[in-house]
Amino acid sequence: MTAHLVRHETRYMTSPASSATGAADLPDYAPIPPSALGVALNDQGYYVGRVERNLYWVTDGTYQAAFLTTRDGVVLFDAPPTIGGNLRRAIDEMAAANGVTNRVTHLVYSHHHDDHSGAASLFDGDVVHIGHEETRRLLLRDNSPARPAPDVTFADRYTLEVGGERVELAWHGPNHSPDNIYIHFPDHDTLMFIDVVNAGWVPIYNLNLSDDVIGYVAAPSIVLDYPWTHFISGHLGRLATREDVAVHQAYIADIQASSKAALASVDPTPFYMKYGAAGNSWGFVQGYLDAVTERAAAPIIAKYTGVLAAADIEIYTRTTTFAIMQSLRLDSGPSGPVHP
């Protein structure tokens, strides 16, 4: 069932780029809402800014990381490879400006995915790597030299204290990934939580390529239970706000409601008569589920175009809708009538 949508995604992404007529054939999209625009990057392709006091964030316009300078060393939070060596440059810049050491002593993984941790090996030596116990298991499984497994792990909660600063790490269940954690800076009025909310933008394919639909949908409520003003979401070019989280929740809630309505209203009979009766079970499944997805996604795309950036790139909302619709069928049930 998902294979059909994957094939559709691949065709959508690659066919314009393979056109012999070049850029003129590429699709046009709606203007990016001003609320989705990020900070200007420097000549080296990054931006580093102060969040509060000695907590800083770094972005290349697509990915984000953070670091905390202390009297005993620098604590780095995530190491996206797209930022790569610019993390070192950003740390050096802020440490020099504030007269503190630039030595990275700790690196905290938000989760195990390479796109947020693949530059970890740039910070070697005596760096202490910290992450959820599942992060350690997955990194040992993946056996990637770019991502050393955590030396320090925890199951539910861990308080990191370095150079008079305190950071609270917590795992509240699977969401985007099995190991994705909440990183709270209580003395800096900031929360870092990756790959669920994109400030001003829709999620990309399949709820930001997330593993657990129910956990993903529930995560923003947990985010809002924390006290914070500044939110580091891991992607794109600005910090997020509580309003960004609320808009994301509304988008997801609208998809849920629209998916329920589509499941109740799309008649599977024509697809069964065309394909199922001929023995093509997967043809029936493809036709019916695509029809449900299209009916559920269409009003969401129309509503959020101009509100959330990339809402008009229809494949994003369609695949996210497909994932949520399938979770409604398979996790919440019923997936269909019980045969008498």
Side-chain angles (χ1 to χ4, degrees), residues 128-148:
V128 177
H129 297 85
I130 303 169
H132 190 261
E133 59 187 19
E134 184 70 356
T135 301
R136 176 176 172 80
R137 186 190 72 80
L138 290 167
L139 289 181
L140 289 174
R141 177 203 66 180
D142 296 344
N143 193 29
S144 168
R147 297 172 286 158

Side-chain angles (χ1 to χ4, degrees), residues 183-195:
I183 303 169
H184 186 217
F185 304 87
D187 300 323
H188 298 81
D189 199 16
T190 299
L191 184 71
M192 181 172 180
F193 179 62
I194 305 303
D195 277 342

Side-chain angles (χ1 to χ4, degrees), residues 163-164 263 265 287 306:
L263 284 167
S265 61

Side-chain angles (χ1 to χ4, degrees), residues 132-216:
H132 190 261
E133 59 187 19
E134 184 70 356
T135 301
R136 176 176 172 80
R137 186 190 72 80
L138 290 167
L139 289 181
L140 289 174
R141 177 203 66 180
D142 296 344
N143 193 29
S144 168
R147 297 172 286 158
D151 312 291
V152 176
T153 64
F154 64 97
D156 296 319
R157 295 181 183 276
Y158 181 79
T159 299
L160 174 63
E161 294 181 321
V162 179
E165 302 292 345
R166 175 171 60 99
V167 185
E168 301 289 347
L169 312 179
W171 181 79
H172 295 293
N175 44 79
H176 167 68
S177 68
D179 57 328
N180 201 27
I181 64 170
Y182 299 72
I183 303 169
H184 186 217
F185 304 87
D187 300 323
H188 298 81
D189 199 16
T190 299
L191 184 71
M192 181 172 180
F193 179 62
I194 305 303
D195 277 342
V196 172
V197 176
N198 301 331
W201 295 72
V202 298
I204 62 165
Y205 306 96
N206 300 307
L207 300 98
N208 282 339
L209 305 175
S210 295
D211 288 345
D212 190 298
V213 173
I214 291 178
Y216 176 99

